[in-house]
Amino acid sequence: LLTVASIAIVLRVVLALPADHFTVESAARPGWTLARVGRNLAGLALIVVGAALSVPGVPGQGVLTMLAGVLLVDFPRRRRVERALFGRPGVLARLNRLRARFGRPPLLPPRA
């Protein structure tokens, strides 16, 4: 159940990203809202579940689940961490294959 849920959540997050997510700087969002707090809590939960799924012997997409969690959580220098994670060899290519399978345009590579 955890594996299926993590794959569904990762798909939802990765497919919802705009193609220029890593190349365009987004404006800082002022203030905290209930939706923003909920998104942060969901992101933290995904990071914890991803860490549990990364343990050898536990089936699931641990790394992808943690990446989806990082995309949801607001913290200082988040964009820098995103670019470092998605700039790693193979990560962006796999995400773009997944997006292509569902008819979404590929993510543009992060700027240095």
Side-chain angles (χ1 to χ4, degrees), residues 20-96:
D20 62 353
H21 179 74
F22 298 115
T23 58
V24 175
E25 288 295 326
S26 61
R29 299 180 197 157
W32 286 88
T33 62
L34 187 58
R36 194 168 178 192
V37 171
R39 192 183 76 210
N40 280 300
L41 290 175
L44 289 173
L46 283 176
I47 292 170
V48 170
V49 169
L53 291 173
S54 294
V55 174
V58 178
Q61 302 291 328
V63 174
L64 284 177
T65 305
M66 286 190 292
L67 289 174
V70 167
L71 288 170
L72 292 175
V73 177
D74 290 325
F75 59 90
R77 303 196 201 285
R78 180 184 85 173
R79 299 294 279 192
R80 188 181 209 179
V81 172
E82 284 179 4
R83 287 184 181 112
L85 290 172
F86 289 97
R88 295 182 58 125
V91 173
L92 193 60
R94 287 183 182 173
L95 290 177
N96 282 336

